Amino acid sequence: MNVRAQTVAAIGAFPWHSYVKLCKPKVVSLVVFTALVAMLLAAPPGDLPWTLLLAGTAGITLAGFSAAAFNHIADREIDAEMGRTKARPLPTGDISRSAATIFASLLGTASLTLLWFVVNPLTAVLTLFTLIGYAVIYTRYLKWIGPQNIVLGGASGAAPALLGWTAVTGQVGWEAITLFLIIFVWTPPHFWPLAIARREEYAAAKVPMMPVTNGVAYTKRQTLYYAIALLPVSLLPVLVGMSGPVYLVGATLLGGSFILRAWRLLHVDSDRQAMKLFGFSITYLTALFALMLADHYLPLGSLPTVIG
């Protein structure tokens, strides 16, 4: 076999697909989308800072990939016990723990370096705290403390939108806090329906998710309460002057639909219904941030600012 053939064979044998799985691209794509929308909202429509937008998007994406890989490492034992995760690269042995650690560390280092030198130090520091918060504090500790683990760990998932804002502005303002709060409050009613449908797997892995510790009925009620709380929180962009009438109408309709679906889950004993709400919650957040962006670029005027 010649050198070229050997090289092709080596590349073909390398578990690229397994390293891609480590990055959880589907999950990270939603995170990056919220960060990108935040960057576009922070930038003047007629004067987009393309260098910051590209570098910020790349840096936050790499950080998301790194956090996902570290999560795989920390959860490798419980992943092996759960049906939906037992085919992940670490439980199957496709990638070793040491290789995954090196990979995750390289991604994190690349992210922080890019953000520090091309974007701004504040975004890099906040990204570092987010990585530590998710990969260490949440995955290692908060996940195991009890049924409020998702609420307490929600800050890590909500941080990228804040990072997107600071990437362009270099500071944390009311707008950034507003974006953070929306995702923070959205996280429990997004995740708890999945936990309901997968409660037996979490119980087998001894992870104290709410449906395991407090029961399905209690979790459904909490999901509804958070869906109700999410509606006024989702209208905060209007109060801070970041969004106008298009967003106001759209967010109200989306929030009402979320509440209605959570109410339906409360009265239907079906794991399928729980998964429907889980799927809708992803559509909800995507549509909500898309509405912010549309409202930002549509010249339809604005509403009075309450906080500013």
Side-chain angles (χ1 to χ4, degrees), residues 154-234:
S156 297
L162 185 149
L163 298 176
W165 187 272
T166 63
V168 172
T169 65
Q171 60 185 1
V172 177
W174 282 112
E175 298 88 348
I177 295 172
T178 293
L179 297 175
F180 174 91
L181 287 175
I182 289 173
I183 303 177
F184 181 77
V185 177
W186 165 85
T187 300
H190 157 66
F191 184 83
W192 281 333
L194 176 65
I196 289 172
R198 303 287 187 241
R199 60 191 178 278
E200 293 181 1
E201 295 182 7
Y202 282 114
K206 295 182 174 56
V207 181
M209 292 301 175
M210 186 175 287
V212 177
T213 61
N214 294 66
V216 171
Y218 179 86
T219 307
K220 288 181 177 181
R221 289 195 298 272
Q222 291 297 310
T223 299
L224 176 60
Y225 298 155
Y226 269 86
I228 293 172
L230 181 59
L231 179 55
V233 172
S234 71

Side-chain angles (χ1 to χ4, degrees), residues 259-269 273:
I259 293 170
L260 179 62
R261 291 165 188 265
W263 175 266
R264 189 177 302 154
L265 175 63
L266 182 63
H267 293 87
V268 176
D269 186 16
Q273 193 68 37

